[in-house]
Amino acid sequence: MHRRGGKRIRMDEPPPEYDSPMTPAVTEPDTYGNYGYGGGNDYTEHANSSSDGMFESPPTPGLRRVTRSKARGGHQPPVVTTAASPTSTTSGTTTRGRPRGRPPGRKNHQPLVDQQFHHLDDDTSLYTIIKNCKVALTNIVDDWIESYKGEREQALIALMQFFINAAGCKGRITQQMQLNMDHAAIIRKMTEEFDEESGEYPLTMTGQSWKKFRQNYCEFVQTLVKQCQYSIIYDQFLMDNIISLLTGLSDSQVRAFRHTATLGAMKLMTALVDVALTVSVNLDNTQRQYEAERQKTREKRASDRLESLLGKRQELEENMDEIKNMLTYMFKSVFVHRYRDTLPEIRAIAMTEIGVWMHKFHANFLDDSYLKYIGWTLHDKVGEVRLRCLQALQPLYASEELKGKLELFTNKFKDRIVAMTLDKEYDVAVQAVRLVISILKHHNEILTDKDCEHVYELVYSSHRAVAQAAGEFLNERLFQPVDMDAGKTKRGKRRLANTPFIRDLVQFFIESELHEHAAYLVDSLIESNTMMKDWECMTDLLLEEPGPMEEPLDNRQETSLIEIMVCCVKQAATGEAPVGRGNTRKVTSLKEVKQATEDKQKLTEHFIVTLPPLLDKYSADAEKLANLLSIPQYFDLDMYTSGRQEGSLQSLLAKLKHIAQVHHEPEVLETCAKTLEILCSEGHAIYTRCDVSRSTIIDVIVASYKEAIDDWRNLILGEETPNADETFNVVSSLKKVSVFYANHNLNQWNIWSTLFQDVKEIDSPLPFEALKYCLSSCFYCLLWGLRSLEATHEAGGVTGPGIQELRDRLNEFIDAAQELIRLSPYIEIREEAYICLCDLLVTFSDQLHTTSSHLTELSCEPDKNLQLLLNEFVQSYVFVPQQDSEHDEHHIEGLHKRRNFLAAYCKLIVYNIMPTKAGAEVFRHYVKYYNEYGDIIKATLSKARETNKVNCALTMCLSLNMMFQQIGNGVGGRITKQHEDFFSLKELAKRFALSFGLDALKNREAITALHRAGILFAVGGGENLDDPTGPPPNLPFLEILMEFTNKLLKPDKKVVLTFLDRRISPGMPTSRGEDWQPLLTYRNSLLHGETDTVPTTSKRAYGRKRKDADHDDDDHDDDHDDFASSIYG
């Protein structure tokens, strides 16, 4: 690759100082509010190269600008002295800025800044005019240019004042300051006047007006240069002063100055780049005109025109040199230092603008000596800065013209760009993937297979934007159209163009070994690749026999293709992303709805015809069949009649009947039942035909069940042992009854009595699997019974007899389920009975009073025995020690099942079906099992607090009491705070305290009640048998209670302290022994800094006092005394 200069430019790693971004640092007191500044005064950029060659300077002229008059040796108009440059080539080191703060002895000094200045809100100041922007910026710039032509000193002061004010500084630059002070001194003076207390300034302020100002600020700078590009910017006065001022301000320790000036300087450079492009075009035109004129014959050549064109060319060349000098000076004076400023906003500005320069003026800026700054900043710690780097590179890689100039950069930083596809900031990862796509297009030989595999894996990312970007990469890498024959089938049908791509997609899915995530792969590609909706191509691969030159799909490929095809059908018909990757927007646009409707019609039109043959071909494969059977769930059912496809419907219904008869796999039966339910949706023209077919299917299922159960019972009565076939028939028939009962009302077949007969017999000889299906079938029977009563009531029918029958069945089932939980020898039966009970209690809860008042008789509440039973189940089957499982899949399934058990119990508390205190034993496991169930317990606590704050607080206290007593029983004596479990108890109390939030007033009553209950527990527990004058056994609990003290308001602390002192007789110990330390510590936390006299010891320090009628605060002392005695007492 061609590079300017012969020296190799090192780009492979950032400079050693990069990890500590640099700002000018002078050790000085912080007297300027919150305006940030950082360190790095030892950093000096030399014009040629750094000591180790890492910072080799761009191949441009030196730092000190050489204007046209300087080059000619002519007289130079006096200009304001430039502030000491941070990168001067004529001095070894420079010291920039000044110590922050006012110099000693200057506090009362009358500053040169006139106090009668134009404030920021002065209507005549340039800052205010641009901020309000009531007229076009072009007009504002034109007015300023007119004033500059009339009195350029005053106009320059107004412009300089604008930059000072735009930083939030109220100081004013006077004419005397401009004449007598250099820019460094002016900036120091402005810094002294910058005494704002707030850390905000216009560029960081929020609100629409300030956002508009930031836009106007940038546009003003660029418009100013554009309007002055033909003469004023070359007068060696305006640009020299503005560049000098912005360079000095960008080097300030005041963050507002540095930020505002850097933005202004970068936009100024961008505007100069535009001017340079214009000059370049004019120069090329002039050169062509000159060459054309010069090549004319002597007779036709106009010498005066030649001289004119030559003079114009020379002037344009001088202008170009002038602009390049300005750009070089500002790049080295501002950009080189600010690209690693401590403020990420400044670093982001630098990266954004250098990208613009490289894209627009690539002849000058698209060089390795400039690209290295972007490459180094790819390692920035702030995501927004990394994002700007990638955005700057994107248009460069998108241009075929610039391909050659990026070769070295791509080689050096390719690994970093690929690694950024895994960036923790999703926006950065998306942009990195897109950049890798550009690299693939223009530098595909650079990317290795391993690099591509990194991006391939991202199609399974949980973040949708990242996954879809990776899908685009996959399209570019694997699915590019090529001119090749897709082949023909065995019967001569030509394969569609997408056939090889779908084969590749299936192979990619198999090789990725993530076979449970086909929906994620589909979602990554469905919006960017049309093959994902090429239904004919997919079904042809499955149905058509392969041609002579084709390789047939093997079993695994067919399974994967069907899975992918069904996922495509689902997403195309619904427009919904898979679970875990849904849109953040909850409202679907009309365009998306229209697209989904069109896709649904197209897939329905195709699969109405092709689905029955597919079901025929794969009728023996349960996995394929379960997927294919779900396709009709996404049909537009009206197309059966509008498209005259009644024959296809009849064929489909016949297939469903056959499948229901011969298949026994749960997945197949569940999908079949669900599809039949969708087809039987009321309101469609096909309802009657589908309903008749459903009745036929259920007739077959029920008849099969009755026959199997009768045979089984006859064998048992005859004291015979059923063989394997007879056992299988019973289990299989009950499975079908249960599965179809979940989706269809089987109550009219009257099988309750025969189902419940086996449920109520604890020692039923039925296999446990069959008994489990009996339980679930009875459960669905009760739910369908409730649904039928509601429908009958809505239709105006009589529901009295039905209500009584359902009530009797409900009572019988609840009693039988409790017996099964207690006595069943099979864990599966106990689990099923538990789930059925919890769900029934929710369905038949008090909510029937409000939703269906005529069904009030059916509401049931769990008695204390049932509450205890459910709690014992949760403690036994949910909160169990984790065992290392050899198979992670089994471990995850077990955890999922236990989470369902806990959620079923917690719903009873959330819906107020059981009292909040029933959750006390669950809440005490909050910390120990936080990773497994923390989210469920936290949500339950939150809902319980919404229901009743006081009850929730008392339940927390009860949980702590239980855990405290458990620790005490474990150690067999007094509890010490050094005990390991005591720390766990304190951690639980901390979590409970945090759950109350920051609003102490809102939780005032609840926290006070918690302290009272805790004190009662601490001073209770009977006498200390070893030492009657010693502390109560539960006194250490006060240390746990201290975790809630900071939630008390100051007046409530006094109330709680009084309550404590009345529970502890005036006989507190004078010795303050270690055993009494929890009481003393707790009292001190309540005193809130107030002094208190310590009472003397009595025989029984913790005896209950008789109520004193003079104390109002004790009126309700005993309200919660009995609460802690038992969860259900």
Side-chain angles (χ1 to χ4, degrees), residues 546-714:
M549 303 298 292
E550 285 189 318
E551 184 179 346
L553 295 178
D554 60 27
N555 180 62
R556 191 177 181 188
Q557 289 173 330
E558 287 180 333
T559 303
S560 298
L561 175 54
I562 289 173
E563 187 176 356
I564 291 171
M565 180 177 72
V566 171
C567 290
C568 290
V569 167
K570 179 180 178 180
Q571 185 154 350
T574 62
E576 297 173 358
V579 176
R581 206 195 257 180
N583 283 331
T584 52
R585 293 185 297 110
K586 294 184 179 180
V587 181
T588 308
S589 67
L590 291 175
K591 182 180 179 181
E592 290 171 334
V593 172
K594 182 180 178 183
Q595 181 65 48
T597 304
E598 292 176 357
D599 289 339
K600 190 172 187 177
Q601 290 173 347
K602 289 179 182 177
L603 71 88
T604 303
E605 183 180 355
H606 177 78
F607 282 103
I608 277 179
V609 179
T610 56
L611 184 59
L614 285 169
L615 294 176
D616 255 347
K617 181 175 181 179
Y618 299 107
S619 59
D621 191 317
E623 186 178 0
K624 296 183 179 72
L625 202 57
N627 274 315
L628 290 170
L629 279 171
S630 66
I631 291 178
Q633 298 175 17
Y634 309 103
F635 279 180
D636 181 354
L637 298 179
D638 292 328
M639 292 188 69
Y640 271 113
T641 51
S642 63
R644 298 182 181 276
Q645 293 290 340
E646 289 85 354
S648 297
L649 174 62
Q650 197 60 42
S651 176
L652 176 61
L653 293 173
K655 303 291 183 226
L656 293 179
K657 179 182 177 183
H658 176 73
I659 289 168
Q661 283 181 299
V662 303
H663 277 274
H664 312 284
E665 298 84 3
E667 298 82 5
V668 174
L669 292 174
E670 287 168 5
T671 310
C672 181
K674 181 65 178 176
T675 298
L676 189 59
E677 180 189 12
I678 298 294
L679 292 172
C680 294
S681 302
E682 297 184 15
H684 296 287
I686 63 173
Y687 169 72
T688 304
R689 181 176 297 185
C690 294
D691 189 42
V692 171
S693 181
R694 171 171 61 178
S695 299
T696 304
I697 293 172
I698 294 175
D699 279 339
V700 173
I701 290 173
V702 172
S704 174
Y705 160 66
K706 287 181 177 180
E707 182 182 350
I709 199 67
D710 287 343
D711 291 345
W712 173 274
R713 286 172 181 164
N714 290 333

Side-chain angles (χ1 to χ4, degrees), residues 745 781-793 806 855:
N745 188 356
C781 181
L782 295 171
L783 296 186
W784 282 112
L786 179 63
R787 174 82 173 269
S788 298
L789 289 174
E790 290 174 343
T792 303
H793 179 75
L806 184 57
L855 299 176

Side-chain angles (χ1 to χ4, degrees), residues 775-820:
L775 258 174
S776 59
S777 297
C778 290
F779 169 74
Y780 294 129
C781 181
L782 295 171
L783 296 186
W784 282 112
L786 179 63
R787 174 82 173 269
S788 298
L789 289 174
E790 290 174 343
T792 303
H793 179 75
E794 290 174 3
V798 178
T799 58
I803 291 176
Q804 186 56 47
E805 182 185 15
L806 184 57
R807 177 78 251 186
D808 294 340
R809 289 181 176 180
L810 184 61
N811 291 337
E812 289 176 344
F813 184 82
I814 290 177
D815 293 339
Q818 291 184 67
E819 288 301 309
L820 288 173

Side-chain angles (χ1 to χ4, degrees), residues 845-909:
S845 65
D846 285 342
Q847 52 94 18
L848 288 175
H849 290 293
T850 54
T851 59
S852 307
S853 57
H854 61 287
L855 299 176
T856 302
E857 299 174 37
L858 294 174
S859 66
C860 56
E861 296 181 4
D863 56 23
K864 292 183 179 178
N865 291 330
L866 180 52
Q867 292 179 30
L868 280 169
L869 180 67
L870 297 177
N871 179 65
E872 288 170 4
F873 181 91
V874 170
Q875 300 303 319
S876 302
Y877 293 97
V878 175
F879 299 108
V880 293
Q882 295 296 314
Q883 298 178 350
D884 294 333
S885 175
E886 295 181 2
H887 303 287
D888 288 341
E889 187 176 346
H890 294 163
H891 172 74
I892 293 170
E893 287 178 1
L895 177 60
H896 180 66
K897 185 168 66 172
R898 292 192 297 273
R899 283 174 60 85
N900 284 339
F901 292 155
L902 180 61
Y905 184 83
C906 289
K907 277 193 292 187
L908 300 176
I909 298 170

